[in-house]
Coordinates of all heavy atoms in Angstrom, one line a residue:
V1 N -18.7 -25.5 0.8 CA -19.9 -25.2 0.1 C -20.2 -23.7 0.2 O -20.1 -23.1 1.2 CB -21.1 -25.9 0.8 CG1 -22.4 -25.6 0.2 CG2 -20.9 -27.4 0.7
Y2 N -20.5 -23.1 -1.0 CA -20.7 -21.7 -1.0 C -22.1 -21.4 -0.4 O -23.0 -22.2 -0.5 CB -20.7 -21.2 -2.5 CG -19.3 -21.2 -3.1 CD1 -18.9 -22.3 -3.9 CD2 -18.4 -20.2 -2.8 CE1 -17.7 -22.3 -4.4 CE2 -17.1 -20.3 -3.3 CZ -16.8 -21.3 -4.1 OH -15.5 -21.3 -4.6
K3 N -22.3 -20.3 0.2 CA -23.5 -19.9 0.9 C -24.7 -20.0 0.0 O -25.7 -20.6 0.4 CB -23.4 -18.5 1.4 CG -22.5 -18.4 2.6 CD -22.6 -17.0 3.1 CE -21.6 -16.1 2.4 NZ -21.5 -14.7 2.9
R4 N -24.7 -19.5 -1.2 CA -25.8 -19.6 -2.1 C -26.2 -21.0 -2.5 O -27.3 -21.4 -2.6 CB -25.6 -18.7 -3.4 CG -25.5 -17.3 -3.0 CD -25.5 -16.4 -4.3 NE -25.0 -15.1 -4.0 CZ -25.8 -14.1 -3.6 NH1 -27.1 -14.4 -3.4 NH2 -25.4 -12.9 -3.4
Q5 N -25.1 -21.8 -2.7 CA -25.4 -23.3 -3.0 C -26.1 -23.9 -1.8 O -27.0 -24.7 -2.0 CB -24.1 -24.0 -3.3 CG -23.5 -23.5 -4.7 CD -22.2 -24.1 -4.9 OE1 -21.4 -24.3 -3.9 NE2 -21.8 -24.4 -6.1
A6 N -25.6 -23.7 -0.6 CA -26.2 -24.3 0.6 C -27.6 -23.8 0.7 O -28.5 -24.6 1.1 CB -25.4 -23.9 1.8
Y7 N -27.9 -22.5 0.5 CA -29.3 -22.0 0.6 C -30.2 -22.7 -0.4 O -31.3 -23.1 -0.1 CB -29.3 -20.5 0.5 CG -30.7 -20.0 0.5 CD1 -31.3 -19.8 1.8 CD2 -31.4 -19.6 -0.6 CE1 -32.6 -19.3 1.8 CE2 -32.7 -19.1 -0.6 CZ -33.3 -19.0 0.7 OH -34.6 -18.5 0.7
T8 N -29.7 -22.8 -1.7 CA -30.4 -23.4 -2.7 C -30.8 -24.8 -2.4 O -32.0 -25.2 -2.6 CB -29.7 -23.3 -4.1 OG1 -29.4 -22.0 -4.4 CG2 -30.4 -24.0 -5.2
V9 N -29.9 -25.6 -1.9 CA -30.1 -27.0 -1.5 C -31.2 -27.0 -0.4 O -32.1 -27.8 -0.4 CB -28.9 -27.7 -1.1 CG1 -29.2 -29.1 -0.5 CG2 -28.0 -27.9 -2.3
A10 N -31.0 -26.2 0.6 CA -31.9 -26.1 1.7 C -33.3 -25.7 1.3 O -34.3 -26.3 1.7 CB -31.4 -25.1 2.8
R11 N -33.4 -24.8 0.3 CA -34.7 -24.4 -0.2 C -35.4 -25.5 -1.0 O -36.5 -25.8 -0.8 CB -34.5 -23.2 -1.1 CG -35.8 -22.6 -1.6 CD -35.6 -21.3 -2.3 NE -36.8 -20.8 -2.8 CZ -37.1 -19.6 -3.0 NH1 -36.1 -18.7 -2.8 NH2 -38.2 -19.2 -3.4
E12 N -34.6 -26.2 -1.8 CA -35.1 -27.3 -2.6 C -35.6 -28.5 -1.8 O -36.5 -29.2 -2.2 CB -34.1 -27.8 -3.7 CG -33.9 -26.7 -4.8 CD -32.7 -27.1 -5.7 OE1 -32.1 -28.1 -5.5 OE2 -32.5 -26.3 -6.7
T13 N -35.0 -28.7 -0.7 CA -35.3 -29.8 0.2 C -36.4 -29.5 1.2 O -36.8 -30.3 2.0 CB -34.1 -30.4 0.9 OG1 -33.5 -29.4 1.7 CG2 -33.1 -31.0 -0.1
G14 N -36.8 -28.2 1.3 CA -37.9 -27.8 2.2 C -37.4 -27.3 3.5 O -38.2 -26.9 4.4
Y15 N -36.1 -27.3 3.8 CA -35.6 -26.8 5.0 C -35.8 -25.3 5.3 O -36.1 -24.9 6.4 CB -34.1 -27.1 5.2 CG -33.7 -28.5 5.5 CD1 -33.1 -29.3 4.6 CD2 -34.0 -29.0 6.7 CE1 -32.8 -30.6 4.8 CE2 -33.7 -30.4 7.0 CZ -33.1 -31.1 6.1 OH -32.7 -32.4 6.4
T16 N -35.7 -24.5 4.2 CA -36.0 -23.1 4.4 C -37.4 -22.8 4.8 O -37.6 -21.9 5.7 CB -35.6 -22.3 3.2 OG1 -36.4 -22.7 2.1 CG2 -34.1 -22.4 2.8
D17 N -38.3 -23.6 4.3 CA -39.7 -23.4 4.7 C -39.9 -23.6 6.2 O -40.6 -22.9 6.9 CB -40.7 -24.3 3.9 CG -40.7 -23.9 2.4 OD1 -40.4 -22.8 2.1 OD2 -41.0 -24.8 1.6
M18 N -39.3 -24.7 6.7 CA -39.4 -25.1 8.1 C -38.8 -24.0 9.0 O -39.3 -23.6 10.0 CB -38.7 -26.4 8.4 CG -39.5 -27.6 7.8 SD -38.8 -29.2 8.4 CE -37.5 -29.3 7.1
V19 N -37.6 -23.5 8.6 CA -36.9 -22.5 9.3 C -37.7 -21.2 9.4 O -37.9 -20.6 10.4 CB -35.5 -22.3 8.8 CG1 -34.8 -21.1 9.4 CG2 -34.6 -23.5 8.9
E20 N -38.2 -20.8 8.2 CA -39.0 -19.6 8.2 C -40.3 -19.7 8.9 O -40.7 -18.7 9.6 CB -39.2 -19.1 6.7 CG -37.8 -18.7 6.1 CD -37.9 -18.5 4.6 OE1 -38.8 -19.0 3.9 OE2 -36.9 -17.9 4.1
R21 N -41.0 -20.8 8.9 CA -42.2 -21.0 9.6 C -41.9 -20.9 11.1 O -42.8 -20.5 11.9 CB -42.8 -22.3 9.3 CG -43.7 -22.3 8.1 CD -44.6 -23.5 8.0 NE -43.9 -24.8 8.1 CZ -43.4 -25.5 7.1 NH1 -43.6 -25.1 5.9 NH2 -42.8 -26.6 7.3
A22 N -40.7 -21.3 11.5 CA -40.4 -21.3 13.0 C -39.9 -19.9 13.4 O -39.5 -19.6 14.5 CB -39.3 -22.3 13.2
G23 N -39.8 -18.9 12.4 CA -39.4 -17.6 12.7 C -38.0 -17.3 12.4 O -37.5 -16.2 12.6
G24 N -37.3 -18.3 11.8 CA -35.9 -18.0 11.4 C -35.8 -17.2 10.2 O -36.7 -17.1 9.4
V25 N -34.7 -16.5 10.0 CA -34.4 -15.6 8.9 C -33.1 -15.9 8.3 O -32.1 -16.1 9.0 CB -34.4 -14.1 9.4 CG1 -34.1 -13.2 8.3 CG2 -35.7 -13.8 10.1
F26 N -33.0 -16.0 7.0 CA -31.7 -16.2 6.3 C -31.2 -14.9 5.8 O -32.0 -14.1 5.2 CB -31.9 -17.1 5.1 CG -32.3 -18.5 5.4 CD1 -33.6 -18.9 5.6 CD2 -31.3 -19.5 5.6 CE1 -34.0 -20.2 5.9 CE2 -31.7 -20.8 6.0 CZ -33.0 -21.1 6.1
V27 N -30.0 -14.6 6.1 CA -29.4 -13.3 5.8 C -28.1 -13.6 5.0 O -27.2 -14.3 5.5 CB -29.1 -12.4 7.0 CG1 -28.5 -11.1 6.6 CG2 -30.4 -12.2 7.8
D28 N -28.0 -13.0 3.8 CA -26.8 -13.1 3.1 C -26.4 -11.8 2.5 O -27.0 -11.3 1.6 CB -27.0 -14.1 1.9 CG -25.7 -14.3 1.0 OD1 -24.6 -14.0 1.6 OD2 -25.8 -14.7 -0.1
C29 N -25.5 -11.1 3.2 CA -25.1 -9.8 2.8 C -23.7 -9.5 3.2 O -23.1 -10.2 4.1 CB -26.1 -8.7 3.3 SG -26.0 -8.5 5.1
C30 N -23.2 -8.5 2.7 CA -21.8 -8.0 3.1 C -21.8 -7.7 4.6 O -22.7 -7.0 5.1 CB -21.4 -6.8 2.3 SG -19.9 -6.1 2.8
F31 N -20.8 -8.1 5.3 CA -20.8 -7.8 6.7 C -20.6 -6.4 7.0 O -21.0 -5.9 8.1 CB -19.6 -8.6 7.4 CG -19.7 -8.5 8.9 CD1 -20.6 -9.2 9.6 CD2 -18.9 -7.6 9.6 CE1 -20.7 -9.1 11.0 CE2 -19.0 -7.5 11.0 CZ -19.9 -8.2 11.7
A32 N -20.1 -5.6 6.1 CA -20.0 -4.2 6.3 C -21.4 -3.5 6.6 O -21.5 -2.6 7.3 CB -19.4 -3.5 5.1
L33 N -22.4 -4.2 6.0 CA -23.8 -3.8 6.4 C -24.2 -4.7 7.5 O -24.2 -5.9 7.3 CB -24.7 -3.9 5.2 CG -24.3 -3.2 3.9 CD1 -25.2 -3.6 2.8 CD2 -24.4 -1.7 4.2
N34 N -24.5 -4.3 8.6 CA -24.9 -5.1 9.7 C -26.1 -6.0 9.4 O -27.2 -5.5 9.3 CB -25.2 -4.2 10.9 CG -25.6 -5.0 12.1 OD1 -25.7 -6.2 12.1 ND2 -25.9 -4.3 13.2
P35 N -25.9 -7.3 9.2 CA -27.0 -8.2 8.8 C -28.0 -8.3 9.8 O -29.2 -8.6 9.5 CB -26.3 -9.5 8.5 CG -25.0 -9.5 9.2 CD -24.6 -8.0 9.3
L36 N -27.7 -8.0 11.1 CA -28.7 -8.1 12.1 C -29.8 -7.0 12.0 O -30.8 -7.2 12.6 CB -28.0 -8.1 13.5 CG -26.9 -9.2 13.7 CD1 -26.3 -9.0 15.1 CD2 -27.5 -10.5 13.6
M37 N -29.5 -6.0 11.3 CA -30.4 -4.9 11.2 C -31.6 -5.3 10.3 O -32.6 -4.6 10.3 CB -29.8 -3.6 10.7 CG -29.4 -3.6 9.2 SD -28.6 -2.1 8.8 CE -28.5 -2.3 7.0
Y38 N -31.5 -6.4 9.6 CA -32.5 -6.9 8.7 C -33.6 -7.7 9.4 O -34.6 -8.1 8.8 CB -32.0 -7.7 7.5 CG -31.1 -6.8 6.6 CD1 -29.7 -6.9 6.6 CD2 -31.7 -5.9 5.8 CE1 -28.9 -6.1 5.8 CE2 -30.9 -5.1 4.9 CZ -29.5 -5.2 5.0 OH -28.8 -4.4 4.2
V39 N -33.3 -8.1 10.6 CA -34.2 -8.9 11.4 C -35.2 -8.1 12.2 O -34.8 -7.3 13.0 CB -33.4 -9.8 12.4 CG1 -34.3 -10.7 13.1 CG2 -32.4 -10.7 11.6
K40 N -36.4 -8.2 11.8 CA -37.5 -7.4 12.4 C -37.5 -7.6 13.9 O -37.5 -8.7 14.4 CB -38.8 -7.8 11.8 CG -40.0 -6.9 12.3 CD -41.3 -7.3 11.6 CE -42.4 -6.4 12.1 NZ -43.6 -6.8 11.5
G41 N -37.5 -6.5 14.7 CA -37.5 -6.6 16.1 C -36.2 -7.0 16.8 O -36.1 -7.0 18.0
G42 N -35.2 -7.2 16.0 CA -33.9 -7.6 16.5 C -33.9 -9.0 17.0 O -34.8 -9.5 17.6
P43 N -32.8 -9.8 16.7 CA -32.7 -11.2 17.1 C -32.3 -11.3 18.6 O -31.7 -10.4 19.1 CB -31.6 -11.7 16.2 CG -30.7 -10.5 16.0 CD -31.6 -9.3 15.9
R44 N -32.7 -12.4 19.1 CA -32.3 -12.8 20.5 C -31.1 -13.8 20.5 O -30.3 -13.9 21.3 CB -33.4 -13.3 21.3 CG -34.5 -12.2 21.6 CD -35.6 -12.7 22.4 NE -36.3 -13.7 21.5 CZ -37.2 -14.6 21.9 NH1 -37.4 -14.8 23.1 NH2 -37.8 -15.4 21.0
T45 N -31.2 -14.6 19.4 CA -30.2 -15.7 19.2 C -29.7 -15.7 17.7 O -30.6 -15.6 16.9 CB -30.8 -17.0 19.6 OG1 -31.3 -17.0 20.9 CG2 -29.7 -18.1 19.5
V46 N -28.5 -15.9 17.5 CA -27.9 -16.0 16.2 C -27.1 -17.3 16.0 O -26.3 -17.5 16.9 CB -27.0 -14.8 15.8 CG1 -26.3 -14.9 14.5 CG2 -27.8 -13.5 15.8
A47 N -27.4 -18.0 15.0 CA -26.5 -19.2 14.6 C -25.9 -18.8 13.3 O -26.6 -18.5 12.3 CB -27.3 -20.4 14.5
T48 N -24.6 -18.9 13.2 CA -23.9 -18.4 12.0 C -22.8 -19.4 11.6 O -22.1 -20.0 12.5 CB -23.4 -17.0 12.1 OG1 -22.8 -16.6 10.9 CG2 -22.4 -16.8 13.2
N49 N -22.4 -19.4 10.3 CA -21.2 -20.1 9.9 C -20.1 -19.1 9.6 O -19.1 -19.4 9.0 CB -21.5 -21.0 8.7 CG -21.9 -20.2 7.4 OD1 -22.4 -19.1 7.5 ND2 -21.6 -20.8 6.3
S50 N -20.3 -17.9 9.9 CA -19.4 -16.8 9.7 C -18.6 -16.5 11.0 O -19.2 -16.0 12.0 CB -20.1 -15.5 9.2 OG -19.2 -14.4 9.3
A51 N -17.3 -16.8 11.0 CA -16.5 -16.5 12.2 C -16.5 -15.0 12.5 O -16.6 -14.6 13.7 CB -15.1 -16.9 12.0
R52 N -16.6 -14.2 11.5 CA -16.6 -12.7 11.7 C -17.9 -12.3 12.4 O -17.9 -11.5 13.3 CB -16.4 -12.0 10.3 CG -16.3 -10.5 10.5 CD -16.2 -9.8 9.2 NE -14.9 -10.1 8.6 CZ -14.5 -9.6 7.4 NH1 -15.3 -8.9 6.7 NH2 -13.3 -9.9 7.0
L53 N -19.0 -12.8 11.9 CA -20.3 -12.4 12.5 C -20.3 -13.0 13.9 O -20.8 -12.3 14.8 CB -21.5 -12.9 11.7 CG -22.8 -12.6 12.3 CD1 -23.0 -11.1 12.4 CD2 -23.9 -13.2 11.4
A54 N -19.8 -14.2 14.2 CA -19.8 -14.8 15.5 C -19.0 -13.9 16.5 O -19.4 -13.7 17.6 CB -19.3 -16.2 15.5
H55 N -18.0 -13.3 15.9 CA -17.1 -12.4 16.8 C -17.8 -11.0 17.0 O -17.8 -10.5 18.1 CB -15.8 -12.2 16.1 CG -14.9 -11.2 16.7 ND1 -14.2 -11.5 17.9 CD2 -14.7 -9.9 16.5 CE1 -13.5 -10.4 18.3 NE2 -13.8 -9.4 17.4
Y56 N -18.4 -10.5 16.0 CA -19.0 -9.1 16.1 C -20.4 -9.0 16.5 O -20.8 -8.0 17.0 CB -18.8 -8.4 14.7 CG -17.4 -7.9 14.5 CD1 -16.6 -8.5 13.5 CD2 -16.9 -6.9 15.2 CE1 -15.3 -8.1 13.3 CE2 -15.6 -6.4 15.0 CZ -14.8 -7.1 14.0 OH -13.5 -6.6 13.8
A57 N -21.2 -10.1 16.4 CA -22.6 -10.0 16.7 C -22.9 -9.5 18.2 O -23.7 -8.6 18.4 CB -23.3 -11.3 16.5
P58 N -22.1 -10.1 19.1 CA -22.4 -9.5 20.5 C -22.0 -8.1 20.6 O -22.7 -7.3 21.3 CB -21.4 -10.4 21.4 CG -21.2 -11.6 20.6 CD -21.2 -11.2 19.1
R59 N -21.0 -7.6 19.9 CA -20.7 -6.2 20.0 C -21.7 -5.3 19.3 O -21.9 -4.2 19.7 CB -19.3 -6.0 19.4 CG -18.2 -6.6 20.3 CD -17.0 -7.0 19.5 NE -15.9 -7.6 20.3 CZ -16.0 -8.9 20.7 NH1 -17.0 -9.6 20.4 NH2 -15.0 -9.4 21.4
L60 N -22.2 -5.8 18.1 CA -23.1 -5.0 17.4 C -24.5 -4.9 18.1 O -25.3 -4.0 17.7 CB -23.4 -5.6 16.0 CG -22.2 -5.6 15.0 CD1 -22.5 -6.5 13.8 CD2 -21.9 -4.2 14.6
T61 N -24.7 -5.7 19.0 CA -26.0 -5.7 19.7 C -25.9 -5.4 21.2 O -26.8 -5.6 21.9 CB -26.7 -7.1 19.6 OG1 -25.9 -8.1 20.2 CG2 -26.9 -7.5 18.1
G62 N -24.8 -4.9 21.6 CA -24.6 -4.5 23.0 C -24.6 -5.7 23.9 O -25.0 -5.6 25.1
G63 N -24.2 -6.9 23.4 CA -24.2 -8.1 24.2 C -25.6 -8.7 24.4 O -25.7 -9.6 25.2
N64 N -26.6 -8.3 23.7 CA -27.9 -8.8 23.9 C -28.3 -10.0 23.0 O -29.4 -10.4 23.1 CB -28.9 -7.6 23.6 CG -28.8 -6.5 24.6 OD1 -28.6 -6.7 25.8 ND2 -28.9 -5.3 24.1
V65 N -27.4 -10.5 22.2 CA -27.7 -11.6 21.4 C -26.8 -12.8 21.7 O -25.6 -12.6 21.7 CB -27.5 -11.2 19.9 CG1 -27.6 -12.4 19.0 CG2 -28.5 -10.2 19.5
K66 N -27.4 -13.9 21.9 CA -26.6 -15.1 22.2 C -26.2 -15.6 20.8 O -27.0 -15.8 19.9 CB -27.5 -16.2 22.9 CG -26.8 -17.4 23.3 CD -27.7 -18.3 24.2 CE -26.9 -19.4 24.7 NZ -27.6 -20.2 25.7
T67 N -24.9 -16.0 20.6 CA -24.4 -16.3 19.3 C -23.7 -17.7 19.3 O -23.0 -18.0 20.2 CB -23.3 -15.3 18.9 OG1 -23.9 -14.0 19.0 CG2 -22.8 -15.5 17.5
F68 N -24.1 -18.5 18.3 CA -23.5 -19.8 18.1 C -22.8 -19.8 16.8 O -23.3 -19.3 15.8 CB -24.6 -20.9 18.1 CG -25.4 -21.0 19.4 CD1 -26.5 -20.3 19.6 CD2 -24.8 -21.8 20.4 CE1 -27.2 -20.4 20.8 CE2 -25.5 -21.9 21.6 CZ -26.7 -21.2 21.8
Y69 N -21.6 -20.5 16.7 CA -20.9 -20.5 15.5 C -20.7 -22.0 15.1 O -20.3 -22.8 16.0 CB -19.5 -19.9 15.7 CG -18.5 -20.1 14.6 CD1 -18.7 -19.6 13.4 CD2 -17.4 -20.9 14.8 CE1 -17.8 -19.8 12.3 CE2 -16.5 -21.1 13.8 CZ -16.7 -20.5 12.5 OH -15.8 -20.7 11.5
G70 N -21.0 -22.3 13.9 CA -20.8 -23.7 13.4 C -21.0 -23.8 11.9 O -21.0 -22.8 11.2
S71 N -21.2 -25.0 11.5 CA -21.3 -25.3 10.0 C -22.7 -24.9 9.6 O -23.6 -24.7 10.4 CB -21.1 -26.8 9.8 OG -22.2 -27.6 10.3
V72 N -22.9 -24.9 8.3 CA -24.3 -24.6 7.7 C -25.2 -25.6 8.2 O -26.4 -25.3 8.6 CB -24.2 -24.5 6.2 CG1 -25.6 -24.4 5.6 CG2 -23.4 -23.4 5.7
R73 N -24.8 -26.9 8.3 CA -25.7 -28.0 8.7 C -26.1 -27.7 10.2 O -27.3 -27.9 10.5 CB -25.0 -29.3 8.6 CG -25.8 -30.5 9.1 CD -25.1 -31.8 9.0 NE -25.0 -32.3 7.7 CZ -26.0 -32.9 7.0 NH1 -27.2 -33.1 7.6 NH2 -25.9 -33.3 5.8
Q74 N -25.1 -27.4 11.0 CA -25.5 -27.1 12.4 C -26.4 -25.9 12.6 O -27.3 -26.0 13.4 CB -24.2 -26.8 13.2 CG -23.3 -28.0 13.5 CD -22.0 -27.6 14.1 OE1 -21.2 -26.8 13.5 NE2 -21.7 -28.2 15.3
C75 N -26.2 -24.9 11.8 CA -27.1 -23.7 11.8 C -28.5 -24.1 11.4 O -29.5 -23.7 12.0 CB -26.6 -22.6 11.0 SG -25.0 -21.9 11.6
L76 N -28.7 -24.9 10.3 CA -30.0 -25.3 9.9 C -30.7 -26.2 10.9 O -31.9 -26.1 11.2 CB -29.9 -26.0 8.5 CG -29.6 -25.1 7.3 CD1 -29.3 -26.0 6.1 CD2 -30.8 -24.2 7.1
E77 N -29.9 -27.2 11.4 CA -30.5 -28.1 12.4 C -31.0 -27.3 13.7 O -32.0 -27.6 14.2 CB -29.5 -29.1 12.9 CG -29.2 -30.2 11.8 CD -30.4 -31.1 11.5 OE1 -31.2 -31.3 12.4 OE2 -30.5 -31.5 10.3
A78 N -30.2 -26.3 14.1 CA -30.6 -25.5 15.2 C -31.8 -24.7 14.9 O -32.7 -24.5 15.8 CB -29.4 -24.6 15.6
A79 N -31.9 -24.1 13.7 CA -33.1 -23.4 13.3 C -34.3 -24.2 13.3 O -35.4 -23.8 13.7 CB -32.8 -22.7 12.0
I80 N -34.2 -25.5 12.8 CA -35.3 -26.4 12.7 C -35.8 -26.9 14.1 O -36.9 -26.9 14.4 CB -35.0 -27.5 11.8 CG1 -34.9 -27.0 10.3 CG2 -36.1 -28.6 11.8 CD1 -34.2 -27.9 9.4
T81 N -34.8 -27.3 14.9 CA -35.1 -27.9 16.2 C -35.2 -27.0 17.3 O -35.8 -27.3 18.4 CB -34.0 -29.0 16.5 OG1 -32.8 -28.3 16.8 CG2 -33.9 -30.0 15.5
G82 N -34.6 -25.8 17.2 CA -34.6 -24.9 18.3 C -33.5 -25.2 19.3 O -33.5 -24.6 20.4
K83 N -32.6 -26.1 19.0 CA -31.5 -26.5 19.9 C -30.2 -26.5 19.2 O -30.1 -27.0 18.1 CB -31.8 -27.9 20.5 CG -33.1 -27.9 21.3 CD -33.4 -29.3 21.8 CE -34.7 -29.3 22.6 NZ -35.2 -30.5 23.0
W84 N -29.2 -26.1 19.9 CA -27.8 -26.1 19.3 C -27.1 -27.4 19.7 O -27.0 -27.6 20.9 CB -27.0 -24.9 19.8 CG -25.7 -24.8 19.1 CD1 -24.5 -25.2 19.7 CD2 -25.4 -24.4 17.8 NE1 -23.5 -25.0 18.8 CE2 -24.0 -24.6 17.6 CE3 -26.1 -24.0 16.7 CZ2 -23.3 -24.3 16.4 CZ3 -25.5 -23.7 15.5 CH2 -24.1 -23.8 15.4
E85 N -26.7 -28.1 18.7 CA -25.9 -29.3 18.9 C -24.5 -29.1 18.4 O -24.2 -29.3 17.3 CB -26.5 -30.5 18.2 CG -28.0 -30.8 18.6 CD -28.1 -31.5 19.9 OE1 -27.2 -32.1 20.4 OE2 -29.2 -31.3 20.5
G86 N -23.6 -28.5 19.2 CA -22.3 -28.2 18.7 C -21.3 -28.0 19.7 O -21.1 -28.1 20.8

């Protein structure tokens, strides 16, 4: 599933509203631009379906961000429930 398609489905089904109300942020940008810089105040935890971001997030934040890697579904469920099942 392409990222934009997954986001569109999540938005149409109301998942994005729940995630955003809980303080979650959706970021879709080129990794060359550090996507973590778009999160106000800096993130404490990141759930991503990008192996590259999962690898680099701890390095980009000086090891201050807990990072989880999984499917889009796992990331959405974690954002909604606040718990990682993976």
